[in-house]
Structures are given as structure tokens and as C-alpha cells.
Amino acid sequence: MNRTHTCGELRESHIGNEVTLNGWVQTVRDKGNIIWVDLRDRYGITQFVAEKTSVDENVFKTLQGFGREFVVSLSGKVVARQKGNPNLATGAIEVEVSSAELLNASKVPPFTIEDDTDGGDELRMKYRYLDLRRNPLQKSLKLRHKVSLETRKYLDSVEFMEIETPYLIKSTPEGARDFVVPSRMNPGEFYALPQSPQTFKQLLMVSGYDRYYQIVKCFRDEDLRADRQPEFTQIDCEMAFVEQEDVLNTFEGLVKHLFKTCRGIDFEGNFPRMTYDEAMEKYGSDKPDARFEMTFNNMNSVTQNKGFQVFDNAELVLGIVAKGCADYTRKQLDKLVDWVKRPQIGATGLIYCKVNVDGTFKSSVDKFFDQDAQAEWAKLTGAEKGDLILILCGDTNKVRSQMNELRLHMGTELGLRDPEKFAPLWVLDFPLLELDEETGHYHAMHHPFTSPKKEDIHLLNTEPGKVKANAYDLAMNGVELGGGSIRIHDRELQKLMFKHLGFTDEEAQAQFGFLMNAFEYGAPPHGGLAFGLDRLVATMGGSDSIRDYIPFPKNNSGRDMMIDSPAPIDEEQMQELGIKSIPVTAE
Amino acid sequence: MNRTHTCGELRESHIGNEVTLNGWVQTVRDKGNIIWVDLRDRYGITQFVAEKTSVDENVFKTLQGFGREFVVSLSGKVVARQKGNPNLATGAIEVEVSSAELLNASKVPPFTIEDDTDGGDELRMKYRYLDLRRNPLQKSLKLRHKVSLETRKYLDSVEFMEIETPYLIKSTPEGARDFVVPSRMNPGEFYALPQSPQTFKQLLMVSGYDRYYQIVKCFRDEDLRADRQPEFTQIDCEMAFVEQEDVLNTFEGLVKHLFKTCRGIDFEGNFPRMTYDEAMEKYGSDKPDARFEMTFNNMNSVTQNKGFQVFDNAELVLGIVAKGCADYTRKQLDKLVDWVKRPQIGATGLIYCKVNVDGTFKSSVDKFFDQDAQAEWAKLTGAEKGDLILILCGDTNKVRSQMNELRLHMGTELGLRDPEKFAPLWVLDFPLLELDEETGHYHAMHHPFTSPKKEDIHLLNTEPGKVKANAYDLAMNGVELGGGSIRIHDRELQKLMFKHLGFTDEEAQAQFGFLMNAFEYGAPPHGGLAFGLDRLVATMGGSDSIRDYIPFPKNNSGRDMMIDSPAPIDEEQMQELGIKSIPVTAE
């Protein structure tokens, strides 16, 4: 071993020891007669010092030749530092250099390797291997490592087995596009990369592995958004002989364990629970940020039929209360109006009502609503003196979604979304089916294997949109950490579901025949859940950028900027695979 | 939770308890007035009993309706068994049924779910989810789970971080064919699935993550052999600031930990080591089965120039000693001769020499070699009275490879390859380059990033075949468990290597530019190792069939028989991806 210690290890207790450390040169300060070198590795930073008069001439020269990010080996004696650096774990000591070796030089990096770097996004993606040297990213990856390991330890302790499922499979039914892999040995045929191990984990339940998990890559060929990656990692779990309550308790246990061991955070009591319907009513979202209140108020009863057409024509009038914001200036209010009118939000306007500290009201619709009417608003929404009521109206689904965005925006503005605060929330009783407004067809909200609630099955024919499922999500801080369901384990019910999803018997058999057949050989009741690891870790790290928690992410065009992939392959290889490139038809 | 206990849990201490168990019906024995049901889950088997006279009529009827592999829930009181079954962990008790519920019926499975099943290979692959219910496979997957988890715990305890590398990458340089993935968002371009995370783990060393590991799927589009799969799992590791000795010690520690925790086996002292050259001389293999001796003897000096042309024309005459086999019959010897002549072995013949118990010799070449000559053979090979010397001759490489096969065959015949005995062996100093006899070109034996031994670099131009590398394998019981090398971390040396491997500067830059560039920004000395997890677990399980240790393996045509994949995809999907199927050209 070249080194005796890491750069984060030396303390006062080491004073007097002869040590050798390896690492990267963080800084060199050359004062002519004395040189300081800060040496860095993933464990920390250690300061080395050499005085011209007391060190070998060649050693001093070697040190003078060092530059930023050079890889070096430094030896010497640990001594007390005259003025300790309390910001550095090793700040009590420094090392008097006795020998120095250059292991590898470095060009000047294209951006600084500091907590706050001067590198832009693209440059850092291209030189990801340098970006990964920076502290914030090292911290992210350490957290990810720890979360993965603690997940495994916990699940193992409650009898889960990690079982690997294949990557070269056949289409999975998650609804997104598959990535496919041409088969050279079976020309004209293709594997698909899994969108999730869903069918395999259900087969494992049929096989009797009653508690399965896997930390596994999944693939979706979707048009990418900021928080999506073509490949992402799931903590994928399934249990047999359980009901919903067992699944929720088991994974609530896991999440508590992770926060305890990886962040030192204890949650008190059980995670709150809320139905999907309630979440939509109160937050306009199935993944509410429950760190702060500011829940929705249905203001129809106090706003409609008072002669103001905008409200009268709306399906739903929603109001939220921004505490202490009655002193918002005209400019601030105009900015809010502009904000909700942005195409990303799409509201046609925003109505406000200030509950002034003197007890009077001031709204943008004073023409239509007198002081008494506005007092009713305050009463209904619970707004107090000094508060601001913000009102949106329109079609139910749209206005909820707009108000959700506004609520989150106000939460951020008012500093209510503390990244070090964590508010878990189980959202239960999801609808089984979702109407695709374009095609007019229903499709599975979760996936086609989700079990409908027994008491709702009779609605499948008449009011499919009202059928609830044994499906649940864990939301935290406005993020969906994970979700799952109790599955169908009965072949006949599964057939019925496929029918309602518009599959013919032949299509269902062709795509999922193996699963339907498996259900004939003794399938136990089962259910499960999957966490998105990238999001879970980012949320635990107090960030909403999953990219900082993925070692080698792709950009929004699905491109790895560092290795410059995807890339063309040569004709010969394509011929072997039995494929040919063709111009892409317009969609 | 539906159940109070698993089927492997109940003991005498539970007698008197009311319990509910869920599982699969292993057997029903209906004697008319009394019924026994054996209920199975992955934890074990529990016997239930019901007497017609003492149980509710409907319950008895329900039990009578049970068949093999039905999924059921049974409740009742735990009682002592009159005659315990010592072969069963739960054999001291049985459960008197008080209620019975059918959770799911089962068709009669196409083969028996027993340790020794009546199902053929193909049928079991098609119904893999049923095959996975069998004990031997459950045991395999449990071992695999445990090995994976203990690997992680151990590596974490010595500061390794698990870091995920991407699956959608660009060609890797392992020499096999890549599986590719057409990119819809970048038409005409392709991702490749990793043959290994080699370049990424080296980049992580440049990034300062000085101890990396990952349990990761790798992909090679090769023509399959019995022990190969298109996707397989590696324990992939890399360390910075280390020399070969550090790597060997670290992973010897891991392997010892795994055998200790997963098999209860302690290895005494350090693993033996041997150079590649010695392994080839003594065993004709770079992955010797060191559970037994029977090493090769170079018999040139005592066989050549005695007038027997077959020996005289041979480059190498090799003999091994089969202890106690002098009494082999003519038939047995003929069978051996036939065995080595099979095309898989390809020897032209086999010469034997019996060292009879009376001190005389009897060989198949008595015409050419008298008793004295044969006595010399015995002396050189160490054969004693009662032993049999088996001799092959020919070109060095061929005869070594043939003798390796014969040695393993004899080892098996003589019961020297005990699956419960484990003989690890480090094989060191592999050649850097390997001559491709077809093309006459050298290619990297390990991979192009392997560091040549410093003292051999000068031979690169003149005698490239003689250059040794800092490369090592861990062999066990005739299997290569893993291998690795110290890598090149110097851009200039890496360029030189690419030149010797026949890459132009442009080709090297196009394929590995990102790695070569990374080497300019402070690459530390580094090296690593990867274990084949499938093989490691199979070996630890005492088996040479990796398929039994892979949950969902593919067959020799790369086909998943259960889900029937690969499969055609539709025209529309191909068009979106910008590809078209074409007839495959003959190779």
C-alpha cells in the first residue's frame, strides 16, 4: 500500500507519527521560503508544509512543481498546527514534508474543483469525472451508497431476498416506450429492456419467494423532462400472503430505518395517510408537499351567484391563504399574476383578497364583492388579519393542478419548504383507471395487474372511472418516493381487467400469456411497492435535482456527454444484427 | 397479515398455540376418516391433520378438495406428533386443522415439485416459475442472496463504495460483440450495453472514489456455451493508490469472508499462489483444479530418441499418475483412449504404463520401451506400485490442453473432486498479449488497460508474446472465479499499448478518447478485479451448473423459454427507432 493514512484521518493523537498520504493537490501556496500544499482525497484534506531551510533541496523543488489536481504522494512527520483550522477535521495538525513524489501531473482542469465551481452545466457533464471530484457530488454518492446498503440490510433483516431478474426481456406493460435490443442469434427478433421487473416479481411470488426485493435499473424511452432519465434505479419489492396494511407497515419501517441510519432523523409516530380524493381536494396533487399547510378551500358557496361571471362560469373556485402576506405590494401581486399566466401553469388570471390588519378587505374584485362578501371568504378560508387569499377558478382538474403549482410556489417564496424538514404522506385508494382524454379510452393508472377494490368491481362496466384500486403511493415533500398496489392473483379477474383495458384475449395472451398461465398453478395473494432510488436519495439529501445523485446521468436528449453516446455503429455490425438504418418518418 | 407463522417455524415450544399458516399443498393423504396435508413455503413444510369425527364437516370437505400446489390458508392448534419426523425441522409437531380456506386452486403441474423432479430441462425452463419452487433452486437463490449481501457488507466495512454505472453506454473494449440499443431520440445512433463497467470504474478512480465496487449485470453477444449467458453478473471492484499485493489481499479477505459467513468454512493461511507459466506447465490450465495433485510431468528426457516416432516427433510428452489404477482393465483403458480421441479433446491417442504391484511394468508401447525404460518413467513421474501412468504427446499448447481435460476427467473418475472441498489458487503474471493464430495479430489477453510489468516493457517491440502483465486470476476447483489487473494510468503508456494492439491514434481517440483525456487530469495509480457472481455462487454451492444459480437464465440460443423472448416487434416501433429488419448475410 502506498499510503499509511487517508487525507481525512490525521488528528492530534497522530502527532509525532511518520506518515505517507496520497491524493490530489487542492492548493499550493508558495511563499518562496515556505510552501503549503493542501492534499485532498475523498476522506478529507490535509495540510502539508515545507520550509526551504529544513527540507532537502530536491524535495522543495518537487513541491514547487506541483499544480492543481496533480496526483502526488507526500511523506513526513505529523506536527501540531500553530493556529488550528476548526473548519477542517484534520485542522489540528499539519505534516512536515520529508519526501514528495509526483505520481501523475494534471492539466489545469476546465473548471475549479470547489464546492461552488465556476463550471457550467454542459462543461461539467462533459468532464463528469472531474465534477465527481467535488464535495457536493461526493456527498451525494456517499449518501446513495449508504441508502442502498441500509435498504438491503433492513430488508434482509425482515426476510426479504434479493433476486436478480433479467435485463434482456420482452415488452413490459408500463405504457411507456421500450428500448429494444436486436438479437443476432435470432434475426428479426428483439429483446426489450425492462421498464420494471413487474411481471418477474409477480412470477417470483408464484414461485414461493414470499418476500422479494431488488435494487435494479429500469428503462423507459420517453421524451425526457428535467427529473427523468432514460435509465433509472428502483428499489423494487413484492410480498405474498399480505394485505395493503402489511405492505404499508413494512415499507414505512424501511423509510424510517433509512432516515435514522443515513440522516440521523427519527420520525414520530406513524406516517399520516390520506385518500387520493382528499389529496386532490386539499392539495390538487397526488404527491402533496405536506411540510406546510396552505391547503385548498372550495369557495364555490361564497363566490358563485353573486354576479361575477368569471366565478359563476367556473366549475370550481379555489382559494389558499398566504399567511402574513396582506402587505404584498402591487408589484408583487402583478408578478404572481404573471407567474400563474405562464404557459407552464396556464391560468387565465389570479384573484386576490387582502385581509388587512385593520380588519378591512381589499381585493382585485371589489367591484363585485363588498366587504361583507369578502369577510365570508376570510371566514371560510380561515384567513386572519394580515393574510392574503389567492383565488383561482376554472375546470376542476385544471384549477387544482394550477393551484397546486401556485401553492408550491408560495411555499417556496415564504420559506416553508425547508430542505431539512421531511413530511412523509401515504396516499391511498388511487383510481384503478384513468381516462385518456385524447382517445376516450381508459387505461390502468398504476398498471394492468393492480387489484380493484372488491366493493367496486361491479362498477367496472357502468362507471369505470369511479372504481378505486388497492393502490398507494408514498409522497414526501412534493415528490413521489414510491408506489405500489395489491395485485390481481386470479386469472379470471385478470382477464376481466385486460378486457376493460381494451386488450383482446389474443393480445393479452400474446403479451402476458406466461403470467396468466402462471396464475393457474397456485398464485398466492400478493402485493408490492417500488421506490425510485434516484428521487429517494435526492429527497433525503434535501435536493430536487436527481442528476446530482446519479453518478453518470444523461442529458435531456438522452445523451451521455462524457462518452458521447449514443453513436453510430458500423454497417457490418448492423448487418450481423439483421437491421438497417432508415430515415425516421415524421410523427 | 394472513399468517401467524411460516411453514418452517413451529417447534415443540409452540404446542398449544392457535396458528394460521399459508402456503402450497405439497401432499394430501386422504384415509377416509382422517386427512393429512403437508403445507409448504420457502421456509419449510408443516404437517396438518384433520379427523372427520372431530372437525367441522365443511372444513373436512374443503380439505378433501385440495390438490397438489393449491394455495391455501390453514388454521388450528399445534400438537405434539405421535411419531416425530427427524428429517423435518418441524417434525416434532403437527397442526390439528380447525379451519381451512382455499386461496387459489392449481392445475396439476407439468412436473413434480420435488428435490428430484421428473421434469426435463426444456419443460423446466418453460415453467421456470414452478421449477423455482423446488428446494435445490430455492437453496441456490438463498445462497446467491446471502453471497451478494455479505459481499456488500464486507466491502463496505473496508471503505468501498457501491457506485452505479450506466447501462446505456458506448462500445466497451472487451473484444466480444456488443448488444446495441437503437436510440429513438438520436436516429441512426445506438447505445451499447456494457460488457463490463471497465472504463467507468477507471474514471471513478480518476474522480477520487478510491475504493469502488458494484454488483452489476454485464452483456456479451457471444455464441453461447453451456456455462455462458448473454447477461451475467459481476462483482466489479477497483482501488486507487494500490499495488498488486494490496488488491490480492483485499479480495482474498472478501472470499474468506464469504466462505465463512455463507458456508461456515474457514481457510487456513493465505491462498496459494502460482505464476501463469507454472500453472500451464503443471496443470495445462490457467484455472487449475487444485483439489488434487496429479500434476503434469514433462517426460521428454525419458521418452524421446528411443526410436518411438510418435514421441520423437512430439514437441512435448506429458505424463500424469493415476494413483492405484494399475488394475484398470483392458476395457477401462480402451474407454479412456476413446475419451481422449473425442473431437472435444482431440488427442490422436493415449499411451499408458501400468506399474504393477509386483514391480513389473506393462505399457501400450512395450515394443519400444523395455522394463528399464519404463522404470525410468515411474521414477520421473513418481509413480509407485499399483499406479497407472497416462501419457499424451504433441504440440505444447495442444497437449497441455488435452492433458488438462484428461486430468480433470481422471480426478472425477477417482472421486478426487469433492464438491464440498474448496481449493483457491491465485494465478499471477499472465502474459500481456495473446497471439491470434488466425490473424497473426496480438491482442490484449485481459484488456487494453492492463499494465505491462515495468521490466518487460522493452520487449514490447521485439518479443511481445513474452511481456508479462500485472494481471491475476483467482481460480478455484477448476473455475476462474475472478480476475483483474493493475491498470495503466499514464496516457503515454496507454497510447503505446493501443499502438501495439493495432489501433491507429484516431481509432483509439474515437473509442477511448474520454478515458485518455481523463488520464490528463490527474489519474492515480489503480487496479482492480471482477468476480463472476454466477460462477462464484455455483462454485460455493458445490455445483458446476451456473444455470441453477441464475433465477431466470436463457438457453443456448439466448432465448428465454418462459417469456418466449426475443420476439418480433411491430413495424411502427421499428420505424420510430429508425431501423428496418433485413435478411442476415451469411458470415
Side-chain angles (χ1 to χ4, degrees), chain B residues 182-253:
Chain B
S183 165
R184 182 181 55 87
M185 290 175 82
N186 304 275
E189 300 192 328
F190 294 77
Y191 301 99
L193 299 179
Q195 294 184 37
S196 89
Q198 182 63 35
T199 48
F200 285 92
K201 70 176 174 178
Q202 293 194 245
L203 288 173
L204 284 171
M205 294 304 109
V206 177
S207 296
Y209 297 81
D210 59 354
R211 292 180 160 216
Y212 144 93
Y213 82 98
Q214 192 182 190
I215 299 186
V216 63
K217 275 278 173 77
C218 302
F219 303 86
R220 288 183 197 183
D221 184 12
E222 295 175 302
D223 298 317
L224 303 175
R225 295 190 315 233
D227 66 338
R228 283 227 184 125
Q229 288 278 322
E231 52 177 307
F232 57 97
T233 307
Q234 263 183 209
I235 304 172
D236 191 54
C237 308
E238 196 79 7
M239 307 169 78
F241 302 119
V242 290
E243 288 156 5
Q244 174 169 308
E245 194 61 28
D246 305 309
V247 180
L248 301 189
N249 288 335
T250 302
F251 295 104
E252 188 163 318

Side-chain angles (χ1 to χ4, degrees), chain A residues 3 42 129 132-133 145 156 159 164 167 189-191 206-207 209-210 231 233 520-521 558-559, chain B residues 3 42 107 129 132-133 145 156 159 164 167 189-191 206-207 209-210 231 233 521 558-559 567:
Chain A
R3 56 185 170 185
R42 76 164 159 110
Y129 50 87
L132 285 173
R133 281 189 195 161
H145 164 65
D156 181 71
E159 297 283 3
E164 292 174 55
Y167 279 93
E189 300 193 329
F190 293 78
Y191 301 100
V206 177
S207 297
Y209 296 82
D210 59 354
E231 53 177 305
T233 307
E520 299 204 284
Y521 291 99
R559 180 165 288 283
Chain B
R3 57 184 169 186
R42 77 164 158 110
K107 294 209 293 196
Y129 49 87
L132 285 173
R133 281 190 194 158
H145 164 66
D156 181 71
E159 297 282 2
E164 292 173 56
Y167 279 92
E189 300 192 328
F190 294 77
Y191 301 99
V206 177
S207 296
Y209 297 81
D210 59 354
E231 52 177 307
T233 307
Y521 291 99
R559 181 166 286 283

Side-chain angles (χ1 to χ4, degrees), chain A residues 349-481:
Chain A
L350 170 70
I351 288 152
Y352 69 82
C353 169
K354 291 180 175 181
V355 186
N356 293 317
V357 281
D358 63 7
T360 63
F361 301 91
K362 171 81 192 95
S363 82
S364 49
V365 287
D366 282 344
K367 254 201 282 189
F368 301 94
F369 297 91
D370 60 19
Q371 293 286 308
D372 285 350
Q374 294 185 42
E376 274 196 276
W377 296 3
K379 199 175 157 203
L380 184 136
T381 59
E384 297 173 322
K385 287 178 186 174
D387 293 349
L388 175 70
I389 307 173
L390 297 170
I391 302 168
L392 293 172
C393 63
D395 290 344
T396 301
N397 290 343
K398 270 193 196 161
V399 73
R400 280 179 174 172
S401 146
Q402 290 158 0
M403 189 57 106
N404 168 48
E405 297 292 341
L406 179 59
R407 175 180 174 271
L408 295 175
H409 179 70
M410 290 307 298
T412 305
E413 291 278 298
L414 300 176
L416 302 173
R417 307 183 71 190
D418 178 356
E420 287 301 305
K421 195 175 157 186
F422 301 95
L425 177 67
W426 285 111
V427 180
L428 308 177
D429 302 346
F430 271 74
L432 181 70
L433 302 167
E434 206 169 28
L435 186 65
D436 184 333
E437 301 200 342
E438 263 180 51
T439 63
H441 289 149
Y442 281 95
H443 59 82
M445 192 152 185
H446 194 55
H447 56 55
F449 312 117
T450 299
S451 166
K453 285 198 179 283
K454 254 189 203 155
E455 60 272 27
D456 290 353
I457 292 181
H458 70 281
L459 296 171
L460 269 173
N461 277 315
T462 50
E463 296 178 280
K466 285 205 172 158
V467 179
K468 298 291 191 231
N470 290 314
Y472 33 79
D473 273 4
L474 181 62
M476 188 181 280
N477 297 8
V479 173
E480 178 201 327
L481 292 189

Side-chain angles (χ1 to χ4, degrees), chain B residues 15 66 77 109 131 134-135 152 164 226 237 324 364 372 376 453 474 506 525:
Chain B
I15 287 172
F66 285 176
K77 196 160 86 176
D131 203 23
R134 297 193 309 113
N135 254 328
R152 291 186 159 104
E164 292 173 56
C237 308
S364 49
D372 285 351
E376 272 196 278
K453 285 196 178 286
L474 181 61
E506 291 70 32

Side-chain angles (χ1 to χ4, degrees), chain A residues 4-58:
Chain A
T4 59
H5 297 79
T6 69
C7 296
E9 205 173 345
L10 297 176
R11 298 286 183 278
E12 273 180 312
S13 61
H14 295 94
I15 287 172
N17 288 12
E18 292 289 336
V19 299
T20 299
L21 274 62
N22 296 171
W24 286 261
V25 174
Q26 179 75 18
T27 51
V28 182
R29 276 162 296 148
D30 185 349
K31 299 288 179 194
N33 286 319
I34 183 164
I35 291 186
W36 287 275
V37 176
D38 278 356
L39 196 64
R40 187 196 72 235
D41 63 18
R42 76 164 159 110
Y43 309 92
I45 286 183
T46 300
Q47 177 168 292
F48 286 78
V49 61
E51 283 186 74
K52 197 168 189 171
T53 50
S54 53
V55 76
D56 179 276
E57 195 180 334
N58 285 327

Side-chain angles (χ1 to χ4, degrees), chain A residues 113-367:
Chain A
I113 313 293
E114 308 272 359
D115 286 12
D116 291 310
T117 177
D118 58 357
D121 244 19
E122 274 209 25
L123 200 62
R124 285 164 47 215
M125 287 284 275
K126 185 172 172 196
Y127 294 91
R128 183 70 172 178
Y129 50 87
L130 295 180
D131 203 23
L132 285 173
R133 281 189 195 161
R134 296 193 309 115
N135 254 326
L137 286 168
Q138 300 228 345
K139 227 176 122 189
S140 299
L141 296 199
K142 279 176 200 166
L143 179 61
R144 188 180 181 110
H145 164 65
K146 195 152 172 59
V147 168
S148 302
L149 188 67
E150 289 298 335
T151 297
R152 291 185 159 103
K153 282 188 186 169
Y154 181 83
L155 291 176
D156 181 71
S157 77
V158 290
E159 297 283 3
F160 280 76
M161 280 172 66
E162 185 160 31
I163 302 178
E164 292 174 55
T165 54
Y167 279 93
L168 297 172
I169 64 165
K170 218 161 108 167
S171 281
T172 45
E174 320 289 313
R177 282 190 199 83
D178 286 318
F179 284 105
V180 299
V181 181
S183 165
R184 181 181 55 85
M185 289 173 84
N186 305 275
E189 300 193 329
F190 293 78
Y191 301 100
L193 300 179
Q195 293 184 39
S196 88
Q198 184 62 34
T199 48
F200 285 93
K201 70 176 173 177
Q202 293 195 245
L203 289 173
L204 285 170
M205 293 305 107
V206 177
S207 297
Y209 296 82
D210 59 354
R211 293 182 158 214
Y212 144 94
Y213 82 97
Q214 192 181 186
I215 300 185
V216 62
K217 276 278 174 79
C218 302
F219 304 85
R220 288 183 198 183
D221 184 11
E222 296 174 302
D223 298 317
L224 303 175
R225 297 192 312 237
D227 65 338
R228 285 230 182 120
Q229 289 278 321
E231 53 177 305
F232 57 97
T233 307
Q234 263 182 211
I235 304 172
D236 191 53
C237 308
E238 196 79 5
M239 307 169 78
F241 303 118
V242 290
E243 288 156 6
Q244 175 169 306
E245 195 60 31
D246 305 310
V247 179
L248 301 189
N249 289 334
T250 302
F251 295 104
E252 188 164 319
L254 169 63
V255 172
K256 284 179 175 173
H257 175 82
L258 293 178
F259 272 88
K260 174 81 181 158
T261 51
C262 304
R263 293 294 324 264
I265 290 168
D266 275 308
F267 287 102
E268 270 174 46
N270 293 332
F271 289 178
R273 298 177 180 193
M274 187 174 279
T275 65
Y276 172 87
D277 286 346
E278 193 185 348
M280 296 309 288
E281 270 167 37
K282 280 195 168 171
Y283 295 99
S285 166
D286 58 4
K287 46 184 181 191
D289 186 342
R291 279 175 296 186
F292 64 107
E293 280 293 324
M294 213 188 283
T295 49
F296 296 3
N297 299 280
N298 180 329
M299 296 178 68
N300 284 15
S301 62
V302 293
T303 54
Q304 294 187 322
N305 306 316
K306 314 270 174 173
F308 183 49
Q309 276 215 328
V310 175
F311 284 163
D312 289 349
N313 294 338
E315 201 177 6
L316 180 62
V317 182
L318 281 182
I320 58 172
V321 177
K323 297 300 289 177
C325 294
D327 58 356
Y328 261 38
T329 62
R330 180 79 208 195
K331 203 171 151 193
Q332 283 176 297
L333 291 165
D334 284 349
K335 228 174 122 187
L336 275 186
V337 174
D338 289 346
W339 192 89
V340 300
K341 283 182 165 175
R342 296 182 318 150
Q344 297 96 313
I345 311 298
T348 48
L350 170 70
I351 288 152
Y352 69 82
C353 169
K354 291 180 175 181
V355 186
N356 293 317
V357 281
D358 63 7
T360 63
F361 301 91
K362 171 81 192 95
S363 82
S364 49
V365 287
D366 282 344
K367 254 201 282 189

